[in-house]
Structures are given as structure tokens and as C-alpha cells.
């Protein structure tokens, strides 16, 4: 009588324990991930308003890229300023004093129209009927690229209206660190807070770097603008202007809208009659056209020859000016807002 024995391979023998371990491991990892996401969402590390765990708004001191989420939803500010470092020195308190409208600075250095339009969208989602908007359009708005690419990283996820995009953003290591920081900050008595209106005076930073005294910076400031436009900034289409027009359709007719072309040092302005000058004027016309489609609008164009723009003592480089020019520009913007009627509401 033959006896048949069934053999079990060594891999089968150990398969069951290993598969059980894998299931436990994956289940534990999934649980930890879900737990972290729940905690991060509840803590709301950048005060985006998505969680009610810490109802008091505000942030610890940090850069404007992330601080804009809290500032942009603050109901105290019925006016907002959008742009990059080329409008950063515009003091919101000066505009508020001149117009009676509380302003917040939502400009973010090293950003272009793509990021700035995201911030405008965020602000409008939380302020559907603002009293005034100030949008600064510099040369970066002249890109031909409809993708409106950004040169430096930006937390688009933080301002997204997509919950999955926001949750994916919370998985970053830097965000996990901020979850811990915010939790500690909220419960620390007298903890330092970020400035609520977003104003950031860059003058001390430039002075520390030697921009006032170092002759090398003075030489760079005097380099004349080329006669030809930069590649990708010659038109004829300027998609940032179209995107702006689409966003502005959500703005109530009563809202004062001011487009600003920020100051440029005289040497950096295009020479009249050159292809660069023609491209710059075409770009400005496209963006201004988008703004003028809104009834209560005005354009403050300081990217053109003006007596004060030829004073080298008022510029750190060709596009970053000092307080006297910033104050004069703020006064011109305030006048434009009053002319649009917002100051009388």
C-alpha cells in the first residue's frame, strides 16, 4: 500500500506569519497616518480657518507665504494689497488712515501672477464684498506662458478649495514641524504674534546687506535696460491679464479696484522707441484693460519716467525703492481709491 505524503514548501510554511505581520504593519501605518492627518487638520498649523479647535486667529511670526492664509481671511480687513516685493513697502496703515478702509498686506516676495491670483482668490472667498483691492503688476505679469509658472516654491495646497489637496499638503515634514510649533504657541502665555496687517519693512534687510554703501550695488543699479524684451515676455498674448479679468468678475461693482504698476529706477526703464518699450506698453495695456472692465477702477502707473525715479538714493536696486517713494505711491493709491468712491461708503 503506497502512502502519499503532501509536501509543504518552506515559503508556504512561513507565508502565513509574514503576511500577518505585513497586515499588522500596514494597518498600523495607516492608523498613524490617519491619526496624524486628523491632528494636523484640527491644529490647523497656518490658521486657515478649516478647523475650529483654536478659534482665536493669529500666528506666530513666519514668512508671508504661509501667514497669508490667516491674514487673508481676517474679517477686520476690508481692503487688501496683492503683489510681491515690488509693492511690499506699501504700508497698509497709511492707506487705512487716508481712506478709512482697514488694509492688509498680502504681497509675497519672489512671486508672480500665478501665486498672486491664488491669494486674490483666497481673499475673495473670505471677503466676497471688499471695499477696496490694490493689485500690483510688475514685469512678471508680462509672461507669455499660460501656466504662469512660479520661480520659487509656493504652498498652493494651503489656499486650495480641494480637501484632498489640502490633506496632501499636510503630509510635508515642514508642516508636521509647524503642527508642533503651533500647538505649543497657542498655549504659551504672551507668545509673540505675527503682525496682523502683514506689513514687512525690507529697508533694514537691504541696509544690513550693504546696499546703501557698497559701490558694486550702485554699479548694477545704473545698468541700462536692454533694447529687446526678455524671452517669453514680448506678447502678443498676456495670459495673466486674462486670468485677472476672470477673477475680477467675482468682485462687486461697488469695490474700488486699483491697478498699480510699481516704480522702477530710471536706468531700468525701457528706452522709448525700442522693442522692449513696445512690449512693456502692450503688457501694461492688456492688464489695465482687464482692470478697466470693472466699473470702480483706476490705474496708477509709476513704471514710467517720473522725476523721483531718477534719484539713486531712493533705490536699493532698480526695482526696490525706499520709504519716501513708498509713501508717495501710497498717497497716490489712496487718492485713486477715493476717486473710485470706496472712501465714501
Amino acid at each position: 500500500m503506497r502512502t502519499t505524503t503532501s509536501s509543504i514548501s518552506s515559503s508556504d510554511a512561513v507565508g502565513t506569519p509574514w503576511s500577518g505581520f505585513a497586515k499588522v504593519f500596514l494597518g498600523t501605518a495607516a492608523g498613524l497616518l490617519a491619526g496624524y492627518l486628523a491632528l494636523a487638520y484640527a491644529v490647523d498649523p497656518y490658521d486657515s480657518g478649516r478647523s475650529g479647535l483654536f478659534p482665536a486667529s493669529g500666528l506666530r511670526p513666519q514668512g508671508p507665504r504661509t501667514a497669508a492664509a490667516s491674514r487673508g481671511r481676517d474679517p477686520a480687513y476690508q481692503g487688501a494689497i496683492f503683489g510681491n516685493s515690488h509693492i511690499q513697502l506699501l504700508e497698509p496703515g497709511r492707506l487705512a488712515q487716508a481712506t478709512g478702509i482697514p488694509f492688509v498686506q498680502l504681497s509675497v516676495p519672489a512671486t508672480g501672477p500665478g501665486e498672486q491670483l491664488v491669494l486674490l482668490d483666497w481673499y475673495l472667498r473670505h471677503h466676497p464684498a471688499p471695499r477696496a483691492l490694490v493689485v500690483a503688476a510688475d514685469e512678471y505679469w508680462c509672461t507669455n506662458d499660460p501656466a504662469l509658472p512660479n520661480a520659487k516654491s509656493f504652498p498652493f495646497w494651503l489656499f486650495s478649495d480641494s480637501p484632498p489637496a489640502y490633506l496632501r499638503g499636510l503630509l510635508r515634514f515642514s508642516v508636521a514641524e509647524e503642527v508642533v510649533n503651533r500647538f505649543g504657541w497657542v498655549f504659551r502665555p504672551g507668545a509673540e504674534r505675527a503682525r496682523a496687517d502683514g506689513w514687512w519693512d525690507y529697508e533694514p534687510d537691504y541696509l544690513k546687506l550693504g546696499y546703501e554703501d557698497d559701490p558694486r550695488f550702485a554699479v548694477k543699479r545704473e545698468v541700462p535696460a536692454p533694447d529687446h524684451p526678455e524671452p517669453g515676455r514680448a506678447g502678443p498674448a498676456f495670459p495673466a491679464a486674462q486670468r485677472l479679468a476672470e477673477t475680477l468678475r467675482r468682485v462687486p461693482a461697488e469695490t474700488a479696484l486699483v491697478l498699480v504698476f510699481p516704480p522702477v529706477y530710471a536706468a531700468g526703464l525701457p528706452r522709448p522707441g525700442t522693442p522692449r518699450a513696445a512690449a512693456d506698453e502692450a503688457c501694461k495695456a492688456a492688464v489695465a484693460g482687464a482692470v478697466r472692465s470693472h466699473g470702480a477702477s483706476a490705474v496708477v502707473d509709476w513704471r514710467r519716467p517720473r522725476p523721483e525715479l531718477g534719484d539713486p538714493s531712493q533705490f536699493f536696486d532698480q526695482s526696490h525703492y525706499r520709504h519716501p517713494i513708498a509713501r508717495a505711491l501710497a498717497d497716490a493709491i489712496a487718492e485713486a481709491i477715493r476717486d473710485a468712491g470706496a472712501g465714501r461708503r
Side-chain angles (χ1 to χ4, degrees), residues 91-103:
E91 190 171 2
R94 190 176 183 91
L95 279 185
Q97 185 176 15
T99 63
I101 303 171
F103 269 89

Side-chain angles (χ1 to χ4, degrees), residues 49-145:
R50 291 179 172 91
S51 167
L53 181 61
F54 302 131
S57 63
L59 290 167
R60 71 178 188 86
Q62 59 192 266
R65 276 171 166 72
T66 50
S70 178
R71 291 168 177 154
R73 72 180 190 89
D74 191 333
Y77 297 107
Q78 301 167 39
I81 306 160
F82 302 89
N84 53 27
S85 60
H86 297 155
I87 200 68
Q88 176 183 334
L89 206 58
L90 195 71
E91 190 171 2
R94 190 176 183 91
L95 279 185
Q97 185 176 15
T99 63
I101 303 171
F103 269 89
V104 62
Q105 253 287 11
L106 293 178
S107 63
V108 178
T111 58
E115 302 96 304
Q116 292 157 29
L117 288 168
V118 164
L119 292 175
L120 176 57
D121 172 78
W122 176 262
Y123 180 80
L124 290 174
R125 277 155 57 190
H126 294 88
H127 301 80
R131 293 181 63 187
L133 300 172
V134 177
V135 178
D138 59 7
E139 67 272 16
Y140 294 108
W141 280 68
C142 300
T143 178
N144 298 348
D145 190 340

Side-chain angles (χ1 to χ4, degrees), residues 22 26 38 40 50 68 75 78 91 114 123 127 135 137 148 163-165 181 241 255 267 278-279 289 310-311 337-338:
L26 292 175
R50 291 179 172 91
Q78 301 167 39
E91 190 171 2
Y123 180 80
H127 301 80
V135 178
L148 306 183
N181 290 336
T255 299
D311 183 354
I337 292 172
R338 289 194 299 269

Side-chain angles (χ1 to χ4, degrees), residues 215-266:
R216 293 174 300 174
F217 295 124
V219 170
K220 290 182 180 179
R221 188 175 54 234
E222 298 298 337
V223 174
D227 285 347
H228 293 278
E230 292 186 35
R233 293 185 187 171
F238 299 101
Q242 179 60 37
R243 287 271 300 275
L244 177 62
E246 293 169 0
T247 302
L248 293 179
R249 293 192 188 109
R250 297 160 49 194
V251 178
E254 298 80 13
T255 299
L257 173 64
V258 177
L259 172 65
V260 181
F261 295 116
V264 175
Y265 181 59

